[in-house]
Amino acid sequence: MSAHYLDKIKAFQQQNENRYRIVISCPDQPGIVAAVSEFLYKQQANIMESNQYTTDPDGGSFFLRIEFECRQDGDTQQELEQGFRQIADHFRMEWQLVRVRHLKKLALFVSKELHCLQEILWEYQSGNLMADLAVIVSNHEDARELAEAYDIPFHHIPANKDIRQQAERQQLELLEQYDIDTIILARYMQILTPVFLENYKNKIINIHHSFLPAFIGAKPYERAFERGVKLIGATSHYVTSDLDEGPIIEQDIHRVNHKDKAEDLKRVGRLVERSVLMRAIKWHVDDRVIVYGNKTIVF
Amino acid sequence: MSAHYLDKIKAFQQQNENRYRIVISCPDQPGIVAAVSEFLYKQQANIMESNQYTTDPDGGSFFLRIEFECRQDGDTQQELEQGFRQIADHFRMEWQLVRVRHLKKLALFVSKELHCLQEILWEYQSGNLMADLAVIVSNHEDARELAEAYDIPFHHIPANKDIRQQAERQQLELLEQYDIDTIILARYMQILTPVFLENYKNKIINIHHSFLPAFIGAKPYERAFERGVKLIGATSHYVTSDLDEGPIIEQDIHRVNHKDKAEDLKRVGRLVERSVLMRAIKWHVDDRVIVYGNKTIVF
Amino acid sequence: MSAHYLDKIKAFQQQNENRYRIVISCPDQPGIVAAVSEFLYKQQANIMESNQYTTDPDGGSFFLRIEFECRQDGDTQQELEQGFRQIADHFRMEWQLVRVRHLKKLALFVSKELHCLQEILWEYQSGNLMADLAVIVSNHEDARELAEAYDIPFHHIPANKDIRQQAERQQLELLEQYDIDTIILARYMQILTPVFLENYKNKIINIHHSFLPAFIGAKPYERAFERGVKLIGATSHYVTSDLDEGPIIEQDIHRVNHKDKAEDLKRVGRLVERSVLMRAIKWHVDDRVIVYGNKTIVF
Amino acid sequence: MSAHYLDKIKAFQQQNENRYRIVISCPDQPGIVAAVSEFLYKQQANIMESNQYTTDPDGGSFFLRIEFECRQDGDTQQELEQGFRQIADHFRMEWQLVRVRHLKKLALFVSKELHCLQEILWEYQSGNLMADLAVIVSNHEDARELAEAYDIPFHHIPANKDIRQQAERQQLELLEQYDIDTIILARYMQILTPVFLENYKNKIINIHHSFLPAFIGAKPYERAFERGVKLIGATSHYVTSDLDEGPIIEQDIHRVNHKDKAEDLKRVGRLVERSVLMRAIKWHVDDRVIVYGNKTIVF
């Protein structure tokens, strides 16, 4: 594979030299937008996109995502953060300021089925996924060739329920070594322990091959076939310690009929999985997804 | 409401004076289609539409639905049935010959939410539902006005879990009195007992307000809201003694997002329910749905 | 039909006693959101929902819709407008302040096909359309019965290309008499002259029975059938003097196949028309649609 | 890329050693199905799937596709054809008997945009496209690397409107050399002359990046953006000498909104193009698509 896509990433970073995102969660009260927009105005920031949501106007939670461009050159992130702290403290905000050119570092965990990995690599190569695909981790060797074709480090770490702890130790070391922000379980098919999860809260994205909460657990296509459903689905969600119960980011479905065997459901389902996971990843790396309780807001 | 739709039904019956459907299920073996089509050819029947399906070419089940027109005038149904019996016996068929102009008699069971009833009445009035809406039954009075506007007999039979047996006795009497073929539970919201069900096997169609098997049971929209799903669904199925577990006829979904409250999910869901139930009813009255095991074939 | 829905409207108005919407269009420049939100904060207004969009961060247009609740009782609309005028002038805004409890007055124009009218009436009656259905106008008598069932004034004004001017004069008088805000062409099937249109710019909503710009003009379903398309669509748009070329508000499609005749396309298409027009009307009465150039922003 | 997919193809061929498809078009008349099924029964053929369609029961055209398995081993195709000729002549059939294990030979024509090519190669490699990808032809060099990764011969033939004749001569030679059945224009972006087309009637499949007949011709995404549509589509069709007017095989759409620029429409559209073209190709290689007039029947 040629590396033209690295040029696309560089071009993106140059275009977004002075662009930032601020993502805020706090108790709702009057004056938040006024304070934040006043602050940005004084910084001579140009607001490119702004989204907000209040769960309940009477004492609910407030969520805000603003993408803006600063006029000044250079690295103003620190100044922005210092200036904003006062507002943040006043409104008791959880907040994050992200410089757009600082791409998120992703680790891709896969197993033997590679269609989701391939979709990610492809969108990456097409310049549609602005992230740093830092490492591919698998408990099988199947993805090695693909990883090498894209010049992405590949690590084979055997994993199954008997050696789970040992495998996770190795994985955690790797994640630290590569300074990973977000883990994508692109059909990884192994359960992760709470110890592993606590280090990456709302930072691990899974694709489940059913329309959750239908067919939680193993072999969803086989069970969908047995049940005789007329639509096949896929769900992308953040991973929590409750299997398949984490906050849902995106779902989609495809129509099937009585002629489709379990094998056909799998084949059709793979297309749904690819597009659902891909949308979830893009929204995540663009900081469009906010978790509250066990749900997501997607701006 | 004016009764132009009765004219549409009459016109339909005249156009289909000589039209029949034969629906067949039997163990798969070579020669079935040859025998049936030879038979129809000898009857000078003109095949309008034919659909078939084999679950498994090696020893599976075979399903066939043929819609055809006989050249002869008059009531040839009896002759056709007599002639066909030999073939049917030879291949050990379950079969049914339906004269298209003999409309199915439907009983509509409703409760307080009337959107599904209204959709059915509307499609009926528009000449899109070729059935005989013989009676509307409810445990509430809300639908009376609508029933009267369409000149359909309305019976108020109080029902709840304490008086279930008594209510069902009254209902069964009514169904017999009106010579009912098929019962539509258009958001009826009461459980039916096995005694009731055994009289109408694969003849009771329900609409469940979720994408089954997700959110089986009560309050699916509230639970969908709690779970934070991104798609809202509805499922139409034949009723069996296992709650919400009967053979699925049709399903569909509509996209929702974090801004939608439980009340919004209900509102959007009602649109999905209307169209899903309507499609299921139309396919059923056209004899397009065949139940095998706990699944349906929809031709 | 019983008039429970009038109770629903009253309840809606009481709940929204102090609720307003402000909708703004202006040249983009820094400080707009800061100024507007500061203004609302000083009015002790609680922002319920806010949406904004910039066509182009470099010298484009800026659009903002805020729904908010004022703490004070009584009619504060005039005060709000007076207070806001200074900001509006400064940023050269086109703007509109709407009190939510003041429902828009709609005139429904229909012809012989009544499915869209029926959907509107139904959603109205279900409490899902918060508008004042002031009058139904038709060049045929078919809708009279339905109008009377809902106690909505019905006016039969014959119209065709030979008596267009005379018909429009009568219609314009009626519209004035009923103080109409918005006209819904719910399959009206007559062309309106520029004279008529200029009085209701961006206030006349049409449903076209195709996926525009495919099949502009007459008989779209017949032409879709001839072309052998695999999807049938409908488009709701504001009416301009260019036939079927006005700003699109909403579109949707439904899958069809080779078995569907032109008559089937019409039948399926009617379902799409109903839902597409209904969504467009709801967004319009909620002031969610902003026209810029020949496009719409839908917040 | 490893060549496991060649194993999948071999396995498919072995499983389908004795499997055939017969595809028939003829004037409708009674007795066709009886004759064909009687013939197959006498051959001891086991019917796996059968689909039929009549455009108009009164003097229309009849279409039939049967997939069946012969019990005998060895190459019985010639015998079947000889035996069937009498029936075919009697009913004036256009017909084709295809042995399933004889894969269609495809030539893929591409230009600079490679997303459709990549989808095809991927589905091929996954064992989901049972065809022989014999050659990739392009007027640019961009696809060479990808072709080589899959060990598919790549030919660079410069083409533009000035050298069209010369280019087509070279292409036709290549097609003959590789014994090509079907040409896939996977975003080839060059017009083909009638001379070229007449050799491959209903054998050239194109993907047009709009919901035809909307946005016929060049730059459909730009024009969709200008028009402000709310859905983006793609259309796969057989190529005829009327630009973008050939028989439509498949169409699909994806929802967009006012925030999407022309560039976003392209990005979203590429996903629709990929899946629409892929479905069309699969149906074509499975002999599921029959052209009649300017339409297709898809069984």
Side-chain angles (χ1 to χ4, degrees), chain A residues 78-113:
Chain A
Q78 215 185 339
E79 286 168 48
L80 285 167
E81 287 181 341
Q82 278 178 354
F84 191 70
R85 194 149 298 141
Q86 202 182 344
I87 294 169
D89 289 348
H90 177 72
F91 290 102
R92 288 179 292 142
M93 293 173 174
E94 284 181 51
W95 64 290
Q96 204 185 358
L97 184 80
V98 176
R99 189 167 179 190
V100 170
R101 62 159 294 151
H102 287 161
L103 303 182
K104 285 198 176 36
K105 281 177 186 291
L106 308 190
L108 309 177
F109 278 43
V110 300
S111 189
K112 282 166 150 296
E113 293 232 52

Side-chain angles (χ1 to χ4, degrees), chain C residues 208-217 220 223 229 235, chain D residues 211-215:
Chain C
H208 184 76
H209 36 319
S210 83
F211 180 79
L212 289 175
F215 308 121
I216 288 174
R223 288 151 65 209
V229 295
T235 303
Chain D
F211 180 79
L212 288 174
F215 308 120

